Amino acid sequence: MTQRNTYDTFMNTLDTVNSAIEEHADTAVFGKVLEMAKTRLDGERLGVAVYEEDPDAPFDYYTVQFNKGRLELKARGKASPTVDWKVSQEYLSAISENPDAYIANPAKLDIDWLKARVGMDIH
């Protein structure tokens, strides 16, 4: 896969994740994650690293903030001191190209990084 600008796919992914959270906020998993995130992460900045093939070799960075139940873009580039979510360009593209499938079935979304960040057991 050739590296390319990930801004549009990243923004589409954020929109999809936010839509899934909103639609499934009352379910057991999303409800608990959302409640814990509101309590522990509201206003906090989280680092995201996008990689092509190797998670240890990211080529793009974003900083998002959890704000009132939504993830919002705060900066592009490595502005956050730590990386909370390592995500492949391929995964971002898959979500961006078929958001309805991820909104309808939020189990397809990788929220383990968010669960870990709020202190939930991810096993």
Side-chain angles (χ1 to χ4, degrees):
M1 179 179 289
T2 304
Q3 289 184 5
R4 63 175 192 247
N5 185 322
T6 61
Y7 181 80
D8 290 337
T9 54
F10 186 76
M11 293 306 297
N12 288 340
T13 298
L14 279 187
D15 289 344
T16 301
V17 170
N18 286 328
S19 293
I21 287 172
E22 185 176 310
E23 188 168 316
H24 300 282
D26 60 348
T27 63
V29 173
F30 269 101
K32 187 171 183 180
V33 172
L34 185 59
E35 187 62 33
M36 290 181 81
K38 283 180 181 177
T39 301
R40 297 180 183 181
L41 298 180
D42 202 45
E44 193 167 328
R45 292 181 180 229
L46 310 165
V48 181
V50 181
Y51 63 90
E52 189 172 2
E53 293 180 17
D54 181 359
D56 294 326
F59 67 89
D60 209 353
Y61 295 89
Y62 295 90
T63 301
V64 296
Q65 183 174 351
F66 195 80
N67 187 23
K68 299 178 184 168
R70 297 183 57 81
L71 289 171
E72 299 173 347
L73 178 67
K74 288 300 173 186
R76 181 159 187 199
K78 197 170 181 181
S80 182
T82 61
V83 171
D84 297 291
W85 183 23
K86 291 182 180 182
V87 61
S88 73
Q89 177 181 341
E90 183 177 15
Y91 180 72
L92 293 176
S93 294
I95 293 172
S96 183
E97 291 168 7
N98 195 4
D100 292 339
Y102 290 84
I103 294 168
N105 185 2
K108 294 175 80 171
L109 290 170
D110 170 22
I111 61 167
D112 284 348
W113 68 274
L114 186 56
K115 288 178 182 178
R117 191 64 175 82
V118 298
M120 289 179 72
D121 183 19
I122 59 173
H123 301 290

